[in-house]
Amino acid sequence: MLTLHYSHASPYVRKVLVLLHETGQLDTVTMKQATGTPLEPGSLPVGINPLGKIPTLERADGCALYDSRVICRYLAERAPDGQRLYPDGARLWEVLTLEATAEGILDVAVPMRYEMALRPASQQSPAWLEAQWSKIARSLDALESRWMGHLAGPVCMGQIATGCALGYLDFRHDARQWRDGRPALADWFARFAARPSMKATGPS
Ligand code: BEZ
Protein backbone atom coordinates (compact mmCIF):
# COMPACT_ATOMS: atom_id res chain seq x y z
CA MET A 1 0.00 0.00 0.00
CA LEU A 2 1.08 3.57 -0.69
CA THR A 3 0.65 6.45 1.78
CA LEU A 4 0.16 9.97 0.48
CA HIS A 5 1.09 12.74 2.92
CA TYR A 6 -1.22 15.54 1.90
CA SER A 7 -3.00 18.77 2.74
CA HIS A 8 -6.36 19.80 1.28
CA ALA A 9 -5.13 23.28 0.40
CA SER A 10 -2.01 22.24 -1.53
CA PRO A 11 -2.29 22.60 -5.31
CA TYR A 12 0.67 20.23 -5.69
CA VAL A 13 -1.29 17.57 -3.80
CA ARG A 14 -4.29 18.30 -5.99
CA LYS A 15 -2.28 17.33 -9.08
CA VAL A 16 -1.70 13.91 -7.53
CA LEU A 17 -5.33 13.53 -6.48
CA VAL A 18 -6.63 14.47 -9.93
CA LEU A 19 -4.28 11.93 -11.48
CA LEU A 20 -5.48 9.26 -9.04
CA HIS A 21 -9.09 10.04 -10.02
CA GLU A 22 -8.35 10.11 -13.76
CA THR A 23 -6.53 6.76 -13.65
CA GLY A 24 -8.88 5.00 -11.21
CA GLN A 25 -6.25 4.45 -8.51
CA LEU A 26 -7.79 6.20 -5.51
CA ASP A 27 -8.22 2.97 -3.57
CA THR A 28 -4.51 2.09 -3.87
CA VAL A 29 -3.41 5.00 -1.66
CA THR A 30 -3.89 5.66 2.05
CA MET A 31 -4.22 9.34 2.85
CA LYS A 32 -2.34 10.90 5.78
CA GLN A 33 -3.05 14.54 6.48
CA ALA A 34 -0.05 16.77 7.25
CA THR A 35 -0.21 20.27 8.66
CA GLY A 36 2.53 22.86 9.01
CA THR A 37 3.97 26.04 7.56
CA PRO A 38 7.44 27.22 6.49
CA LEU A 39 7.74 28.65 10.02
CA GLU A 40 6.49 25.58 11.91
CA PRO A 41 6.88 22.08 10.38
CA GLY A 42 4.08 20.58 12.49
CA SER A 43 3.27 17.13 11.08
CA LEU A 44 4.95 17.67 7.71
CA PRO A 45 6.85 14.46 6.80
CA VAL A 46 10.38 15.72 7.61
CA GLY A 47 11.47 12.23 8.75
CA ILE A 48 11.10 10.72 5.27
CA ASN A 49 11.40 13.84 3.10
CA PRO A 50 14.24 16.14 4.23
CA LEU A 51 12.49 19.07 2.52
CA GLY A 52 9.37 18.41 4.58
CA LYS A 53 7.22 19.07 1.55
CA ILE A 54 3.86 17.71 0.57
CA PRO A 55 2.89 15.76 -1.36
CA THR A 56 5.21 12.97 -0.28
CA LEU A 57 4.38 9.43 -1.35
CA GLU A 58 5.57 6.72 1.02
CA ARG A 59 5.94 3.29 -0.53
CA ALA A 60 5.46 0.01 1.36
CA ASP A 61 9.27 -0.50 1.27
CA GLY A 62 9.68 2.76 3.21
CA CYS A 63 11.05 4.72 0.25
CA ALA A 64 9.61 8.25 -0.02
CA LEU A 65 8.95 9.78 -3.44
CA TYR A 66 8.72 13.53 -4.01
CA ASP A 67 8.03 16.07 -5.51
CA SER A 68 4.62 16.13 -7.22
CA ARG A 69 6.15 15.69 -10.68
CA VAL A 70 7.99 12.54 -9.62
CA ILE A 71 4.94 11.18 -7.80
CA CYS A 72 2.64 11.80 -10.77
CA ARG A 73 5.00 10.09 -13.19
CA TYR A 74 5.35 7.13 -10.83
CA LEU A 75 1.60 6.77 -10.36
CA ALA A 76 0.89 7.15 -14.08
CA GLU A 77 3.29 4.28 -14.81
CA ARG A 78 1.39 2.04 -12.39
CA ALA A 79 -1.98 2.60 -14.07
CA PRO A 80 -2.96 0.48 -17.09
CA ASP A 81 -3.94 3.60 -19.07
CA GLY A 82 -1.67 6.08 -17.24
CA GLN A 83 0.74 6.40 -20.13
CA ARG A 84 -1.82 8.53 -22.01
CA LEU A 85 -1.01 11.33 -19.53
CA TYR A 86 2.64 11.28 -20.72
CA PRO A 87 2.32 10.46 -24.43
CA ASP A 88 5.27 9.00 -26.33
CA GLY A 89 7.15 10.88 -29.01
CA ALA A 90 7.50 14.56 -29.70
CA ARG A 91 4.36 15.48 -27.76
CA LEU A 92 5.98 14.34 -24.48
CA TRP A 93 8.28 17.38 -24.42
CA GLU A 94 5.33 19.72 -24.80
CA VAL A 95 3.46 17.94 -22.02
CA LEU A 96 6.46 18.24 -19.70
CA THR A 97 7.02 21.90 -20.60
CA LEU A 98 3.35 22.70 -20.04
CA GLU A 99 3.56 20.94 -16.67
CA ALA A 100 6.73 22.90 -15.84
CA THR A 101 4.98 26.17 -16.73
CA ALA A 102 2.08 25.34 -14.40
CA GLU A 103 4.47 24.22 -11.68
CA GLY A 104 6.41 27.46 -12.12
CA ILE A 105 3.20 29.45 -11.62
CA LEU A 106 2.64 27.58 -8.36
CA ASP A 107 6.26 28.02 -7.28
CA VAL A 108 5.61 31.76 -7.38
CA ALA A 109 1.97 31.83 -6.24
CA VAL A 110 2.52 29.76 -3.08
CA PRO A 111 5.39 31.87 -1.60
CA MET A 112 3.35 34.98 -2.45
CA ARG A 113 0.52 33.54 -0.39
CA TYR A 114 2.90 32.84 2.51
CA GLU A 115 4.32 36.37 2.29
CA MET A 116 0.82 37.84 2.54
CA ALA A 117 -0.54 35.41 5.15
CA LEU A 118 2.44 34.87 7.46
CA ARG A 119 4.41 38.12 7.44
CA PRO A 120 3.20 41.20 9.29
CA ALA A 121 2.02 43.78 6.74
CA SER A 122 4.81 46.16 7.80
CA GLN A 123 7.44 43.58 6.76
CA GLN A 124 5.89 42.71 3.41
CA SER A 125 7.49 43.96 0.21
CA PRO A 126 4.94 45.26 -2.32
CA ALA A 127 7.72 45.52 -4.93
CA TRP A 128 8.65 41.86 -4.44
CA LEU A 129 5.02 40.81 -4.63
CA GLU A 130 4.49 42.73 -7.90
CA ALA A 131 7.69 41.34 -9.42
CA GLN A 132 6.53 37.83 -8.50
CA TRP A 133 3.07 38.38 -9.96
CA SER A 134 4.61 39.59 -13.22
CA LYS A 135 6.14 36.11 -13.66
CA ILE A 136 2.69 34.57 -13.27
CA ALA A 137 1.11 37.12 -15.61
CA ARG A 138 3.72 36.39 -18.31
CA SER A 139 3.12 32.66 -17.93
CA LEU A 140 -0.65 33.11 -18.21
CA ASP A 141 -0.15 35.25 -21.33
CA ALA A 142 2.00 32.49 -22.82
CA LEU A 143 -0.73 29.93 -22.11
CA GLU A 144 -3.31 32.19 -23.77
CA SER A 145 -1.22 32.94 -26.86
CA ARG A 146 0.79 29.76 -27.42
CA TRP A 147 -0.69 26.79 -25.61
CA MET A 148 -4.40 26.73 -26.41
CA GLY A 149 -3.99 24.17 -29.20
CA HIS A 150 -2.27 21.84 -26.81
CA LEU A 151 -4.79 22.45 -24.04
CA ALA A 152 -7.55 21.51 -26.52
CA GLY A 153 -5.99 18.07 -27.10
CA PRO A 154 -6.36 14.82 -25.15
CA VAL A 155 -6.05 15.08 -21.36
CA CYS A 156 -2.42 14.97 -20.28
CA MET A 157 -0.36 15.75 -17.20
CA GLY A 158 0.33 19.27 -18.49
CA GLN A 159 -3.39 19.98 -18.57
CA ILE A 160 -3.90 18.57 -15.08
CA ALA A 161 -1.08 20.74 -13.74
CA THR A 162 -2.47 23.81 -15.53
CA GLY A 163 -5.96 23.18 -14.13
CA CYS A 164 -4.58 22.88 -10.60
CA ALA A 165 -2.49 26.04 -10.97
CA LEU A 166 -5.47 28.08 -12.20
CA GLY A 167 -7.62 26.62 -9.41
CA TYR A 168 -5.03 27.80 -6.89
CA LEU A 169 -5.03 31.32 -8.36
CA ASP A 170 -8.80 31.39 -7.84
CA PHE A 171 -8.36 30.09 -4.29
CA ARG A 172 -5.57 32.37 -3.02
CA HIS A 173 -5.13 35.18 -5.56
CA ASP A 174 -8.69 35.84 -6.64
CA ALA A 175 -8.20 39.61 -6.37
CA ARG A 176 -5.71 39.48 -9.26
CA GLN A 177 -8.53 38.53 -11.69
CA TRP A 178 -6.31 36.31 -13.85
CA ARG A 179 -9.12 35.81 -16.43
CA ASP A 180 -9.01 39.47 -17.51
CA GLY A 181 -7.63 39.65 -21.06
CA ARG A 182 -7.32 35.85 -21.30
CA PRO A 183 -10.70 34.66 -22.63
CA ALA A 184 -9.48 31.44 -24.27
CA LEU A 185 -7.73 30.27 -21.11
CA ALA A 186 -10.75 31.22 -19.00
CA ASP A 187 -13.05 29.18 -21.30
CA TRP A 188 -10.72 26.21 -21.24
CA PHE A 189 -10.53 26.29 -17.44
CA ALA A 190 -14.33 26.48 -17.10
CA ARG A 191 -14.56 23.23 -19.10
CA PHE A 192 -11.62 21.52 -17.41
CA ALA A 193 -12.82 22.45 -13.90
CA ALA A 194 -16.10 20.62 -14.64
CA ARG A 195 -14.32 17.27 -14.91
CA PRO A 196 -15.33 14.93 -12.06
CA SER A 197 -11.66 14.63 -11.00
CA MET A 198 -11.41 18.41 -10.57
CA LYS A 199 -14.78 18.77 -8.87
CA ALA A 200 -13.84 16.07 -6.35
CA THR A 201 -10.53 17.71 -5.39
CA GLY A 202 -11.10 21.43 -4.83
CA PRO A 203 -8.98 23.17 -2.17
CA SER A 204 -10.44 23.71 1.30
C1 BEZ B 1 -2.07 27.16 0.97
O1 BEZ B 1 -2.74 27.13 2.00
O2 BEZ B 1 -2.17 28.07 0.15
C2 BEZ B 1 -1.10 26.05 0.72
C3 BEZ B 1 -1.09 24.96 1.58
C4 BEZ B 1 -0.18 23.91 1.35
C5 BEZ B 1 0.70 23.98 0.28
C6 BEZ B 1 0.67 25.06 -0.58
C7 BEZ B 1 -0.22 26.10 -0.36
Side-chain angles (χ1 to χ4, degrees), residues 8 16 35 70 81 84 86 92 94 97 109 127 150 182:
H8 284 298
V16 177
T35 53
V70 174
D81 70 339
R84 73 193 158 92
Y86 297 96
L92 175 65
E94 294 174 13
T97 302
H150 190 95
R182 301 177 187 107

Side-chain angles (χ1 to χ4, degrees), residues 7 9-12 54 110 113-114 168 171-172:
S7 130
S10 166
Y12 302 100
I54 48 169
V110 170
R113 158 70 184 166
Y114 284 139
Y168 186 75
F171 179 48
R172 293 299 195 199

Side-chain angles (χ1 to χ4, degrees), residues 10-144:
S10 166
Y12 302 100
V13 168
R14 190 178 189 190
K15 286 173 59 186
V16 177
L17 295 178
V18 171
L19 180 143
L20 288 171
H21 274 269
E22 294 279 349
T23 58
Q25 295 187 88
L26 269 178
D27 58 359
T28 67
V29 176
T30 300
M31 306 291 284
K32 188 164 179 186
Q33 189 163 3
T35 53
T37 71
L39 300 181
E40 172 47 61
S43 59
L44 293 172
V46 287
I48 54 170
N49 176 348
L51 299 169
K53 287 169 110 178
I54 48 169
T56 294
L57 186 70
E58 198 176 347
R59 293 196 315 209
D61 64 5
C63 177
L65 302 183
Y66 49 88
D67 54 13
S68 67
R69 279 187 270 193
V70 174
I71 294 171
C72 288
R73 194 90 190 237
Y74 174 77
L75 290 172
E77 282 204 7
R78 284 166 55 97
D81 70 339
Q83 224 28 59
R84 73 193 158 92
L85 299 177
Y86 297 96
D88 279 339
R91 197 164 165 267
L92 175 65
W93 303 109
E94 294 174 13
V95 168
L96 295 179
T97 302
L98 181 58
E99 184 182 16
T101 303
E103 193 94 356
I105 289 173
L106 290 176
D107 290 346
V108 175
V110 170
M112 281 180 73
R113 158 70 184 166
Y114 284 139
E115 170 87 358
M116 294 184 295
L118 297 180
R119 279 200 171 195
S122 61
Q123 290 176 22
Q124 289 175 22
S125 165
W128 182 85
L129 284 168
E130 289 317 304
Q132 296 308 300
W133 181 258
S134 70
K135 294 182 199 175
I136 296 177
R138 273 199 307 272
S139 302
L140 295 172
D141 289 342
L143 293 175
E144 174 80 12

